[in-house]
Amino acid sequence: MKQELTRLIQQALDSLVEQGQLPADIQPQVQIDRTRDKTHGDLASNIALTLAKAAKQAPRDLATLICAALPQADLVVRTEIAGPGFINFFLSDSNNQAVVRRILDEREAFGRNNSGGGQKVQVEFVSANPTGPLHVGHGRGAAVGDSLCRLLAATGWDVSSEFYYNDAGAQINNLALSVQARCRGLGPDDPAWPQDGYRGDYITELAQAYQRGEKIDAEDQHVTACGDTDDVEAIRQFAVAYLRREQDLDLKAFGVHFDVYFLESSLYLSGAVEATVQRLVEQGHTYQHEGAMWLRTTDFGDDKDRVMRKSDGGYTYFLPDVAYHQNKWQRGFQRVINEQGADHHSTVTRVRAGLQALQQDIPQGWPDYVLHQMVTVMRDGEEAKLSKRAGSYHTLRDLIDEVGRDATRYFLVARAPSSQLTFDIDLALSQSNDNPVYYIQYAHARVCSIMRKLGEQGWSWEAQDAMQHLGELGDEHEKALLRRLDRYPEIVANAAANNEPHTIATYLRELAGDFHTWYNASKMLVSEQPVRDARLALSQAVRQVIANGLDLLGVSAPEVM
RNA sequence: GGGGGUAUAGCUCAGCUGGAUAGAGCACCGGCCUUCUAAGCCGACGGUCGCAGGUUCGAAUCCUGCUACUCCCGCCA
């Protein structure tokens, strides 16, 4: 549509140049935008404004000239010059109604595109270490990351979701010691309790399971406890598997799936870390200082150099991070998106710098990062921080159990990741128009309800027949809905291109609003069949788009509420 | 001190990559269920887009400088 109009304007400009009404050396950038206000028509161009100076004419005069020179076209009913010199295009009703046919035709595919062209993309998210249950912050990562995967898949990318974790570092050792202490009947307040041990009640449950000799099957870990309290290594393996399984259950309850679980320890086992060190040394960006080996990350935009090998011979976490991302690159992911909490933002520059130092033609801005800000959980107007089980923070499971999967996912994905999020439990629980999740789902259920009612009335509806009567759609509410539906594919494309799943949530809220308004203003099940057919077609189109959009957010679209 | 993020209605937030009169929801006030689901609708109220400059036909949006809040700044991950 925009292309068509662009072509028309281009032709008009060409003919004006030919007639000498415009200088031959102008370089027009024809831009067509959707209008924000329907009184401005359907589409608008600012071409006269941008060209006014070069053409040495007042914008409105120039707009008049361009309009007069526009070739005839069926889809344009009329044009109008407005404001400082915009050209507004009013498209034909039949053109605007065509979106309904397209939606009912394409169904689940409506809004999808193939801009990814089957290229590989990896989305890494959550990546929680197995030291405890997932908390609300991980939940935000899961909601945003999973929705991103769905968006990318919907736009033609070959998506792989990945969960990276450390199963062998100091934190894990700490975890094993905490479990061992519990096995020995110690509590966090005992003098013999490990320094910085994990204090949550789940450690006790873990210790009991270990002593019972429980068998654990996590997505990527399978361990049977030997029950030996002295065997710290056995405890470590068991604890990792146990907590991974816990997290799996959290993720499953949340409807989030991962294709790959990647262990930090595997980078050591495979020699990847050592190889990365070698490469960095060979490329000459390292130096020794005070017994440690440093990488000159300041050569690549960091504000200070970083230690990569400690004076005790061990590596800092920075190095496996670089090795890990080098591994991603070697796996052929030219696009990688890392979804993380913003408290890790300092690793962004560091990892990119490390990758540049490898000098392996990895693009400078690679990989992409989506960083989400903190989540605060509110209840009764107060911050709800404590979870007894986890010992400190609010767990994702608590939230899902309390407000349900759909509401949890919606609220965690509905805001721009860059803005801090206040999760209002009371709002998420409310079964009223306060609650946007139900507001959107209700619109979907309403359409389903109408269709059920149709049968009860002894009527039927066939898409094919209904398509003949789309001309019946024409009141203001219906036009607003048609406009809104028409935008959906663009919304999806932009959300995927910019890593912004929250825009889908915003859109659905607006679409549902348009629908509810229309529903209250007009009756769908009227006796006059052509009108009824047309309205049901529009309703079905709305239902389809809501279902498609909710799916991108991982939220269900119930038929009955 | 250095860096990231944020600042829009009383509250929670959008704002389609620079467009026309800045939008929703909540809260508050007033209306709408003998008719397809009232988890809904309609109306009213509510703004110096943090402050000051700059860029241009045009700025909430881009640039610079301030201010406030927040996160990070370890040979921890």
Side-chain angles (χ1 to χ4, degrees):
Chain A
M1 202 59 52
K2 287 184 181 177
Q3 288 169 5
E4 182 67 12
L5 278 189
T6 303
R7 206 175 53 76
L8 292 177
I9 291 175
Q10 193 62 57
Q11 282 180 21
L13 292 173
D14 289 347
S15 66
L16 287 175
V17 169
E18 238 169 80
Q19 296 163 26
Q21 308 232 41
L22 279 177
D25 58 349
I26 55 160
Q27 295 193 329
Q29 288 277 339
V30 179
Q31 186 188 331
I32 306 282
D33 292 307
R34 283 171 193 281
T35 55
R36 206 174 292 228
D37 183 336
K38 60 178 176 288
T39 63
H40 297 147
D42 298 298
L43 295 170
S45 179
N46 60 0
I47 187 70
L49 291 164
T50 57
L51 243 46
K53 193 173 253 181
K56 298 195 173 91
Q57 298 202 42
R60 287 191 67 109
D61 295 343
L62 183 55
T64 311
L65 274 179
I66 296 171
C67 278
L70 278 174
Q72 202 66 30
D74 285 345
L75 72 117
V76 179
V77 172
R78 66 190 170 91
T79 58
E80 212 172 75
I81 294 157
F86 290 104
I87 302 175
N88 294 335
F89 295 89
F90 292 78
L91 305 183
S92 71
D93 286 345
S94 67
N95 178 76
N96 291 337
Q97 289 151 0
V99 69
V100 172
R101 180 178 294 111
R102 201 177 142 203
I103 293 167
L104 296 182
D105 221 43
E106 299 181 8
R107 297 164 160 274
E108 292 78 20
F110 180 72
R112 302 175 79 95
N113 66 57
N114 192 33
S115 61
Q119 295 175 80
K120 288 171 67 167
V121 60
Q122 184 206 60
V123 185
E124 182 207 326
F125 57 109
V126 184
S127 292
N129 283 342
T131 55
L134 299 180
H135 57 70
V136 184
H138 294 128
R140 189 173 192 185
V144 171
D146 186 60
S147 185
L148 262 174
C149 289
R150 291 163 185 260
L151 272 167
L152 290 165
T155 50
W157 292 82
D158 177 9
V159 185
S160 177
S161 56
E162 189 152 316
F163 184 119
Y164 173 80
Y165 67 96
N166 182 353
D167 58 323
Q171 295 302 319
I172 302 296
N173 200 43
N174 194 6
L175 168 75
L177 293 176
S178 305
V179 174
Q180 185 181 47
R182 277 291 185 193
C183 286
R184 290 175 171 160
L186 298 176
D189 298 322
D190 274 300
W193 188 258
Q195 277 269 308
D196 303 320
Y198 289 89
R199 306 169 69 91
D201 289 355
Y202 67 94
I203 297 293
T204 311
E205 295 164 22
L206 213 173
Q208 286 164 357
Y210 179 71
Q211 292 180 307
R212 273 200 307 272
E214 201 168 294
K215 182 172 185 296
I216 303 293
D217 285 301
E219 288 286 327
D220 67 321
Q221 295 270 345
H222 308 278
V223 171
T224 303
C226 72
D228 181 354
T229 304
D230 294 324
D231 190 342
V232 180
E233 177 56 21
I235 294 176
R236 183 189 69 73
Q237 287 184 19
F238 180 78
V240 166
Y242 182 96
L243 290 173
R244 276 289 319 116
R245 186 186 61 179
E246 284 282 298
Q247 293 178 353
D248 284 344
L249 294 173
D250 295 345
L251 291 167
K252 197 166 184 181
F254 208 38
V256 172
H257 158 83
F258 284 92
D259 298 315
V260 177
Y261 289 82
F262 197 104
L263 274 65
E264 182 183 332
S265 61
S266 73
L267 293 166
Y268 289 95
L269 290 174
S270 69
V273 170
E274 204 46 57
T276 299
V277 174
Q278 282 245 311
R279 175 80 192 177
L280 290 172
V281 171
E282 282 166 14
Q283 295 305 313
H285 298 291
T286 60
Y287 62 93
Q288 297 287 332
H289 179 64
E290 291 179 353
M293 183 188 287
W294 296 66
L295 182 67
R296 210 182 307 277
T297 51
T298 48
D299 287 352
F300 305 96
D302 204 353
D303 56 353
K304 59 186 193 186
D305 292 341
R306 307 290 168 177
V307 170
M308 46 190 266
R309 186 158 63 204
K310 296 184 275 186
S311 46
D312 69 4
Y315 296 113
T316 63
Y317 68 92
F318 159 59
L319 199 59
D321 272 359
V322 174
Y324 176 45
H325 283 88
Q326 186 183 18
N327 173 282
K328 291 187 184 186
W329 178 257
Q330 287 164 344
R331 276 187 277 163
F333 293 112
Q334 300 213 351
R335 184 176 180 191
V336 164
I337 302 167
N338 292 333
E339 207 289 350
Q340 304 180 343
D343 52 339
H344 288 86
H345 86 264
S346 60
T347 65
V348 176
T349 320
R350 216 169 304 173
V351 166
R352 285 181 179 158
L355 291 168
Q356 289 309 300
L358 292 169
Q359 295 181 223
Q360 292 180 326
D361 295 325
I362 297 174
Q364 272 192 4
W366 189 92
D368 281 352
Y369 280 85
V370 172
L371 303 176
H372 64 257
Q373 295 289 327
M374 305 278 108
V375 181
T376 313
V377 178
M378 300 288 284
R379 182 202 303 280
D380 303 328
E382 291 178 9
E383 185 170 353
K385 211 167 198 171
L386 291 184
S387 160
K388 192 161 169 283
R389 248 190 112 250
S392 55
Y393 43 72
H394 207 107
T395 66
L396 176 60
R397 192 80 67 84
D398 292 341
L399 213 48
I400 297 172
D401 288 349
E402 194 164 354
V403 309
R405 191 189 102 164
D406 285 342
T408 305
R409 281 194 76 132
Y410 183 89
F411 278 83
L412 290 178
V413 79
R415 303 294 186 219
S418 60
S419 71
Q420 294 185 27
L421 176 65
T422 304
F423 195 112
D424 185 339
I425 289 188
D426 304 309
L427 177 63
L429 276 175
S430 75
Q431 297 205 340
S432 72
N433 56 0
D434 306 7
N435 192 330
V437 191
Y438 293 126
Y439 184 85
I440 295 165
Q441 291 181 320
Y442 186 46
H444 183 271
R446 265 186 157 170
V447 176
C448 296
S449 170
I450 296 168
M451 296 312 285
R452 285 191 296 271
K453 203 80 185 178
L454 176 80
E456 291 170 22
Q457 303 255 341
W459 288 326
S460 63
W461 178 87
E462 288 295 333
Q464 286 298 327
D465 298 341
M467 290 305 104
Q468 312 303 315
H469 305 302
L470 291 182
E472 301 289 341
L473 299 173
D475 74 26
E476 286 311 308
H477 299 311
E478 290 159 354
K479 282 182 177 168
L481 269 171
L482 292 169
R483 282 166 64 89
R484 185 80 68 189
L485 291 171
D486 195 52
R487 289 194 52 188
Y488 180 70
E490 259 178 55
I491 298 284
V492 173
N494 287 336
N498 303 327
N499 303 334
E500 290 178 335
H502 73 280
T503 55
I504 301 292
T506 305
Y507 171 84
L508 290 176
R509 181 68 180 72
E510 291 166 347
L511 174 60
D514 289 342
F515 175 75
H516 287 309
T517 294
W518 178 51
Y519 178 92
N520 276 275
S522 345
K523 196 167 162 68
M524 313 287 123
L525 298 179
V526 294
S527 52
E528 196 184 342
Q529 193 203 334
V531 176
R532 187 175 72 228
D533 276 359
R535 289 181 182 171
L536 289 176
L538 181 55
S539 302
Q540 290 280 49
V542 170
R543 188 206 65 74
Q544 184 70 62
V545 172
I546 288 179
N548 292 2
L550 284 176
D551 183 61
L552 291 175
L553 301 179
V555 175
S556 71
E559 298 187 3
V560 183
M561 287 176 75

